[in-house]
Amino acid sequence: MSLTPPSNVGYLIDRYLDGQITAQEMDRLNNVLRSNASARREFAKHLDLDSSLAEFAASQSGEEAAVRDIVELNAMAFKRTTIGRILLSAAAVLALLVGSWWWYVKLTPFATVARSVATPGLADGVQVRHEPHQIKTGMVELITVRGARLVIEAPAEFFFESSQRLNMRSGRLTADVPPQAKGFTVITPAGKAIDLGTRFAIDISSETQSEVHVFEGEVVAQSTGSSRKQLLTAFTAVRLGGELKSTACDVRYGAFVGDREISAMAEAFRLGQRERAQVAKTLLQQDPAMLAWLDFGVGEEASPLQVGSQVIGARRVQGRFPGTSAIDFVNSEDCVKLDLDSRIPAFTLMAWVRLNQLEGRQNSLYSTDEWGELGQVHWMIGDVGRLRFAIKGSEPNANGDSNVWLESQPRMDSELQRWVHLAIAYDSNAGKAVQYLNGQAIVVAPMPKKLLAALGPAQVGNWKPKEGFRHLPRRRLSGRLDEFAAFARALSATEIADYFEASTPYK
């Protein structure tokens, strides 16, 4: 069967729309529509229908979409008074094709699994059709028949209505859509996103809220039940919510796993990196100097060393390995309350972090509630990716205050928008502090000797100054936190490097 409409199809469609088509010409048009998918697609396009009807007309949509679009076609028929009778006839032709199309949809692959990480039933090479899928752990990369590259991260529920329509009930998705797949549509409970040739992402946080993030190109976003369509361009995002509303929101670049990243994560998982990370974590947790280990697991997965911490607001999401947990700081109130209740000469803080973006001059990792007592600690990331550490000292510095700073050189935002391991090792006996990024010491600075660190009530993540310190600006942290560990000693460079190598999710 030819995929290109006959040369006279355009003429017949024009005659049809002008209401001048003869009975003989109508028979010819109906015969073409019955036998040629490309002609049906062209016909639907001329009727100004949306992407779902275009797919239906191309023999690639589901039964519900097909019936819905035929109803819409009938409604249009009655509105176009000059050609109502003919439109109704064409709708009947399309309706007769529904039965044969439905079994075709059941057998037609819409996408193929290019790469999977811990997703049972969706192994590499599996063809994905209309059937529903639920992935509780891991992630999967799909390539549609038109070449759209999709990465879906658990927990997620989805099914394809067609090769150009993906219905998602939950989960996170990144889509890289080439020109030949322009019009690819993602439907969520809160609304839909129609691609116009771009790279975009979807985050479905609940039945009533979804976010659309555009990284390149353009996307049309529309809330469920609303006729209003928003054109989103690069570096913009919108939150689709209840009551037909949509509101602008921050673009969270690091919130989504892309096709380049998933390959390194799939290889690490295949090589048993998750098991090595668990062994390395268990060994460190046996250290007598351990103060806390927050892994944000639930039930049996939770570390007993996170007792005394309290998660405020942050949403639990998948961690850096399938089946593990992390918390996602999105709103400015999201944080973890933690009191290490220690005054010690040396300590190490370390965390697995994935930033959505850098906001403001200071992005807080760990900050004591107050900033006035000798030895209080603030650990942050600056607006250009500088890793910053400050401890309250007693001797005025060149700026006239007593803050002791340790700051790295700027880092690229993209470097921090994937899983990175950060650590600060402070040793007042040796009179130094060291900042680490992915197991490597990136900056060393002298510290006042014998200055005890006061690790009392603190906030991990977003930091809100207490009463009496409101003159200090609030500090955001937008991103995921997988682990946060604290020790009452300065871990060595070898210990930190070894833990990074054993626990990285990439290979």
Side-chain angles (χ1 to χ4, degrees):
M1 181 174 65
S2 170
L3 296 180
T4 304
S7 58
N8 63 346
V9 168
Y11 169 77
L12 292 174
I13 291 174
D14 288 340
R15 295 269 293 169
Y16 163 73
L17 291 175
D18 291 338
Q20 298 177 352
I21 194 168
T22 65
Q24 185 179 11
E25 289 171 335
M26 190 66 206
D27 287 340
R28 287 167 53 197
L29 178 58
N30 284 341
N31 288 334
V32 172
L33 293 176
R34 288 191 184 96
S35 62
N36 192 297
S38 186
R40 291 193 294 275
R41 185 160 45 241
E42 187 70 15
F43 179 74
K45 186 187 301 182
H46 278 75
L47 290 178
D48 295 325
L49 299 181
D50 64 15
S51 60
S52 62
L53 179 55
E55 276 302 300
F56 163 74
S59 301
Q60 294 183 359
S61 69
E63 187 174 35
E64 289 186 16
V67 173
R68 180 175 67 247
D69 292 332
I70 289 172
V71 171
E72 291 179 6
L73 187 57
N74 273 292
M76 290 179 63
F78 287 105
K79 290 180 181 178
R80 297 190 182 213
T81 55
T82 58
I83 56 171
R85 177 183 55 80
I86 301 173
L87 275 168
L88 190 59
S89 173
V93 170
L94 290 174
L96 288 173
L97 296 172
V98 169
S100 61
W101 289 352
W102 181 236
W103 71 261
Y104 182 70
V105 166
K106 286 287 190 182
L107 300 177
T108 301
F110 299 132
T112 301
V113 177
R115 197 174 283 104
S116 65
V117 185
T119 52
L122 287 171
D124 294 4
V126 166
Q127 291 186 325
V128 179
R129 296 175 171 80
H130 182 67
E131 70 280 358
H133 292 279
Q134 181 178 24
I135 56 175
K136 296 181 179 180
T137 64
M139 59 199 73
V140 62
E141 180 184 6
L142 306 171
I143 301 178
T144 71
V145 295
R146 295 196 186 183
R149 193 173 290 269
L150 317 174
V151 176
I152 299 175
E153 186 177 3
E157 294 182 63
F158 65 92
F159 68 92
F160 280 93
E161 293 184 6
S162 72
S163 65
Q164 285 289 86
R165 286 175 66 91
L166 177 67
N167 193 309
M168 287 189 70
R169 306 302 300 175
S170 62
R172 288 183 175 180
L173 168 141
T174 306
D176 194 342
V177 184
Q180 63 269 26
K182 183 177 180 180
F184 180 77
T185 301
V186 180
I187 301 125
T188 78
K192 65 181 178 179
I194 305 170
D195 163 78
L196 299 181
T198 186
R199 191 166 66 90
F200 71 100
I202 301 284
D203 180 15
I204 305 170
S205 58
S206 70
E207 282 288 326
T208 59
Q209 186 169 286
S210 303
E211 292 179 357
V212 182
H213 298 254
V214 181
F215 306 137
E216 297 176 11
E218 296 178 335
V219 166
V220 174
Q222 184 177 11
S223 292
T224 299
S226 173
S227 60
R228 179 172 176 258
K229 297 180 179 180
Q230 291 179 262
L231 179 64
L232 304 180
T233 55
F235 317 123
T236 60
V238 68
R239 184 175 291 123
L240 306 176
E243 300 180 2
L244 314 182
K245 292 181 179 179
S246 61
T247 55
C249 61
D250 295 331
V251 181
R252 298 187 288 123
Y253 301 96
F256 306 95
V257 175
D259 58 292
R260 296 178 182 176
E261 188 178 358
I262 192 176
S263 60
M265 300 181 82
E267 182 65 6
F269 188 79
R270 185 185 70 81
L271 294 174
Q273 191 67 6
R274 180 185 173 186
E275 290 72 22
R276 278 192 285 276
Q278 183 61 45
V279 170
K281 179 172 79 169
T282 301
L283 288 174
L284 271 181
Q285 288 178 340
Q286 295 170 1
D287 193 307
M290 170 66 64
L291 294 174
W293 191 292
L294 314 184
D295 59 14
F296 310 109
V298 179
E300 294 181 356
E301 295 179 1
S303 167
L305 294 166
Q306 62 188 22
V307 175
S309 64
Q310 182 185 9
V311 177
I312 306 294
R315 165 185 164 205
R316 276 188 167 83
V317 294
Q318 181 165 257
R320 68 191 191 281
F321 291 112
T324 63
S325 296
I327 55 174
D328 195 8
F329 301 112
V330 177
N331 301 311
S332 61
E333 300 292 329
D334 297 347
C335 71
V336 180
K337 299 279 190 181
L338 178 66
D339 186 357
L340 297 175
D341 192 22
S342 299
R343 182 176 291 275
I344 46 182
F347 69 86
T348 300
L349 303 178
M350 63 183 195
W352 275 103
V353 178
R354 182 188 183 96
L355 294 186
N356 295 329
Q357 61 180 355
L358 292 171
E359 298 188 13
R361 293 185 61 249
Q362 312 288 358
N363 299 264
S364 182
L365 295 167
Y366 168 94
S367 296
T368 51
D369 287 351
E370 299 177 354
W371 185 246
E373 182 183 340
L374 192 67
Q376 288 182 327
V377 166
H378 285 194
W379 187 30
M380 303 155 285
I381 303 174
D383 55 354
V384 289
R386 297 180 192 270
L387 302 183
R388 289 177 169 173
F389 166 73
I391 186 167
K392 192 70 174 179
S394 58
E395 297 295 329
N397 57 24
N399 297 322
D401 61 43
S402 58
N403 303 337
V404 182
W405 287 88
L406 169 61
E407 186 171 74
S408 75
Q409 294 297 312
R411 318 301 302 189
M412 296 292 291
D413 284 5
S414 58
E415 186 178 5
L416 301 173
Q417 289 168 355
R418 49 187 278 143
W419 287 111
V420 294
H421 187 254
L422 305 177
I424 173 69
Y426 172 84
D427 189 344
S428 68
N429 293 324
K432 69 173 184 178
V434 187
Q435 291 260 34
Y436 294 86
L437 172 64
N438 289 338
Q440 299 295 313
I442 58 172
V443 62
V444 182
M447 290 285 131
K449 287 200 171 185
K450 308 304 180 182
L451 175 57
L452 299 182
L455 305 180
Q459 298 162 59
V460 178
N462 293 295
W463 183 71
K464 181 180 180 180
K466 292 186 67 175
E467 289 291 342
F469 297 89
R470 295 296 169 84
H471 61 285
L472 297 174
R474 297 187 66 162
R475 297 171 187 161
R476 289 291 309 273
L477 184 72
S478 178
R480 292 191 228 184
L481 178 66
D482 189 319
E483 291 176 349
F484 182 89
F487 300 82
R489 69 179 181 88
L491 270 62
S492 69
T494 299
E495 288 175 309
I496 292 174
D498 287 349
Y499 183 69
F500 165 73
E501 290 296 336
S503 62
T504 176
Y506 305 114
K507 283 295 182 184

